[in-house]
Amino acid sequence: MSNAQYYDVVVVGAGNAALCAAISAKEGGARVLVLERGPVEKRGGNSFFTDGAIRVAYNNLDGIRYIIPELTDEESELIVMPEYTETDYYNDLMRVTGGQSNPELAKQLVSKSYETIAWMRDQGIKFELNYENQSFVQAGKRNFWGGLPINTEDKGVGLMRQLFARTEEIGIDVWYDSRAVELVSEHNTITGVVVEKDHTMVTVQTSGVILACGGFEANKKMRSENIGEEWEAAIVRGTEFNTGDGISMAMAVGAQKFGQWSGCHSIGTDYNAPKVGDFTKPGDIFKKHSYPYSVMLNNEGKRFVDEGADLRNYTYAKYGREVLKQPGHVAYQIYDAQVRLMLRKEYDLEEATFYKADTLGELASLLPVNQTQFLKTIEEYNSAVQDGEYRPVEKDGKGTKGITPPKSNWALRIEQGPFYAFPVTCGITFSFGGLHVDTTGHVLDKEEQPIKGLFAAGEMIGGIFYENYPGGSGLMSGAVFGKLAGSSAARYTQEKVETINNH
């Protein structure tokens, strides 16, 4: 085992949270090394695959215009932007997690969201309005909805390109094909990290390590043991390298597990999507997120969720697991001609798998389903649809009566051909269980005391998301706690140096 040079701070991982941490530590005066397990062409972690929507408490349009200075007065005059306050954000987070989100971590995420976005803008990260998926035109004005109006430019690809550009610009070293395998600890203090690089083991000496290398979603064994055996069948939507290394290394030096280890962020994704994220096809192109307008049936021809329970932003991260529970881990989103043109852009891509037929009977014959039950379910659904105004961009209360599960909103009869079926399976994004980390990024031991020199950010932080997740809050959490962990690590290393010098 050979020794490499010393760095003040070593960041394990190279996604959004990791690079925000690295840039923040560098700003704090630290000499920083980033370790990327993958090769350069597969860098960027799960962040590379994101659609780029990022949830921030912006208050009103003036707050948005500071983040997106390109917005002109003329454009702004034609925008209707509902306010989204810290209270709104916190309440959304608590509502979708059933009140289980750790209040201190939740408050930190929400209260630091805007200043972190502003900091990212100052680092050269460009943002744009999420016209495509979070707005509609009415009376000549662009109306935004759902508390998620901001996107990173060019999705996750653009976010990571800009973060890496900033990393290079300010002189942060990045090692590729470099897998951190062990933390070196002396007297309960981190002193280094062992790295597998070029088929040899290298010990990098350091005062502080920031773990930001994701959860265990790409590790079949850990998924099976912690979330359930059926999760071995899930598609991995992001990087193949998030196999729980950081969590395992931290626990080996006494870190405390925290959060919902039996839970994860998962979605309905194209049945023929790649088994792990394909870096040649980034941008979250395989998701299928217009399901609130659909009726979803399984192989037995039965419905299994309330497709219209809430806006897509507040249900998509939990409905993937409902698909996984179905026979063959597959479901079919059914649409008719009334709604086909309303579907999101991903339904029109060449990668989208679908079946099309002029009649429901013909559609059923194309699918590996119980055809009799399939047609009966749709007939019963159609009979249960209540009258009312159909308003696709807000909860319209146009539901069903007398069937289980109900459809609470956006219930239209499926009656106008042609008819479409989009097969979906479950894609896992990230695991909710992680490490116990305080509000400034310090990893805590079993006595809830900070492990000296050890910090974490991003998906590795347990205790924020339970059961579900408000769309866009994962990227925001990564950036907020990445920035905090970076400044905490830089401060810790400076204090350590000053202590040594004073002695």
Side-chain angles (χ1 to χ4, degrees), residues 139-150:
K141 293 208 169 188
R142 176 70 66 171
N143 291 255
F144 283 83
W145 58 277
L148 195 53
I150 297 179

Side-chain angles (χ1 to χ4, degrees), residues 11 28 94 180 298 386 394 454 488:
V11 180
M94 283 299 177
N298 61 19
Q386 301 297 292
E394 59 184 316
L454 189 59
S488 291

Side-chain angles (χ1 to χ4, degrees), residues 11-26 32-36 43-44 47 119 123 125 159-168 170 172-174 176 210 212 457 478-479 482-483 486:
V11 180
V12 181
N16 167 57
L19 295 194
C20 284
I23 293 165
S24 175
K26 182 73 175 180
V32 182
L33 171 66
V34 170
L35 299 174
E36 166 60 271
R43 70 183 186 177
S47 307
W119 173 81
Q123 304 302 325
I125 310 306
L159 170 64
M160 294 317 302
R161 182 174 61 243
Q162 292 157 14
L163 282 171
F164 274 109
R166 182 60 173 162
T167 299
E168 188 176 325
I170 61 178
I172 293 170
D173 291 347
V174 181
Y176 296 101
I210 302 173
K483 180 175 181 285

Side-chain angles (χ1 to χ4, degrees), residues 102-109 258 437-439 461-464 481:
N102 177 273
E104 288 77 25
L105 293 173
K107 283 173 186 164
Q108 187 75 315
L109 164 58
F258 199 57
V437 178
D438 71 11
T439 55
I461 297 180
I464 300 177
F481 288 102

Side-chain angles (χ1 to χ4, degrees), residues 17 46 103 184 187 210 214 222 229 237 246 260 268 297 309 330 421:
N46 276 354
V184 182
H187 310 298
I210 302 173
M222 288 185 77
E229 287 181 15
R237 298 180 62 224
Q260 189 193 16
L297 288 83
V330 65

Side-chain angles (χ1 to χ4, degrees), residues 66-335:
Y66 180 79
I67 304 302
I68 309 175
E70 297 83 4
L71 264 182
T72 65
D73 290 343
E74 291 76 17
E75 286 177 288
S76 300
E77 281 294 317
L78 298 175
I79 289 173
V80 178
M81 180 69 68
E83 70 171 20
Y84 193 69
T85 64
E86 290 182 14
T87 301
D88 294 329
Y89 195 161
Y90 184 81
N91 289 344
D92 275 346
L93 183 55
M94 283 299 177
R95 176 171 59 84
V96 302
T97 61
Q100 296 177 87
S101 184
N102 177 273
E104 288 77 25
L105 293 173
K107 283 173 186 164
Q108 187 75 315
L109 164 58
V110 167
S111 65
K112 298 289 186 188
S113 63
Y114 187 81
E115 68 180 68
T116 303
I117 287 277
W119 173 81
M120 291 174 80
R121 193 206 89 153
D122 294 342
Q123 304 302 325
I125 310 306
K126 292 189 179 300
F127 299 93
E128 59 191 17
L129 284 175
N130 192 355
Y131 286 114
E132 191 176 293
N133 295 322
Q134 298 291 153
S135 74
F136 64 98
V137 176
Q138 188 175 54
K141 293 208 169 188
R142 176 70 66 171
N143 291 255
F144 283 83
W145 58 277
L148 195 53
I150 297 179
N151 247 54
T152 55
E153 184 184 82
D154 198 16
K155 305 184 177 182
V157 179
L159 170 64
M160 294 317 302
R161 182 174 61 243
Q162 292 157 14
L163 282 171
F164 274 109
R166 182 60 173 162
T167 299
E168 188 176 325
E169 182 185 353
I170 61 178
I172 293 170
D173 291 347
V174 181
W175 289 1
Y176 296 101
D177 289 307
S178 299
R179 181 179 187 175
V181 295
E182 184 184 351
L183 295 170
V184 182
S185 175
E186 297 174 15
H187 310 298
N188 296 320
T189 301
I190 301 301
T191 60
V193 58
V194 179
V195 182
E196 186 180 343
K197 180 176 171 60
D198 300 327
H199 307 293
T200 61
M201 295 296 182
V202 177
T203 300
V204 181
Q205 296 172 338
T206 183
S207 296
V209 172
I210 302 173
L211 298 171
C213 50
F216 56 81
E217 60 273 1
N219 185 322
K220 276 189 180 183
K221 184 170 185 288
M222 288 185 77
R223 289 201 311 261
S224 178
E225 288 172 352
N226 292 290
I227 312 178
E229 287 181 15
E230 69 273 18
W231 285 90
E232 284 198 23
I235 282 174
V236 177
R237 298 180 62 224
T239 178
E240 67 214 78
F241 301 119
N242 285 10
T243 53
D245 291 3
I247 294 172
S248 300
M249 286 190 293
M251 287 172 57
V253 295
Q256 183 185 148
K257 290 169 72 170
F258 199 57
Q260 189 193 16
W261 274 65
S262 61
C264 64
H265 177 301
S266 63
I267 71 161
T269 191
D270 194 292
Y271 186 73
N272 292 313
K275 297 303 181 191
V276 296
D278 182 347
F279 280 83
T280 68
K281 290 189 174 183
D284 202 7
I285 62 174
F286 295 100
K287 67 181 182 295
K288 293 289 177 286
H289 277 182
S290 290
Y291 63 84
Y293 308 147
S294 81
V295 169
M296 274 200 291
L297 288 83
N298 61 19
N299 276 345
E300 296 172 345
K302 296 177 180 177
R303 290 175 61 243
F304 54 93
V305 291
D306 179 350
E307 303 90 345
D310 204 337
L311 296 170
R312 161 262 176 206
N313 294 350
Y314 304 116
T315 58
Y316 78 96
K318 66 177 181 178
Y319 274 7
R321 87 181 67 123
E322 299 305 322
V323 172
L324 192 69
K325 292 175 184 174
Q326 304 313 306
H329 315 298
V330 65
Y332 301 90
Q333 296 178 4
I334 309 299
Y335 304 95

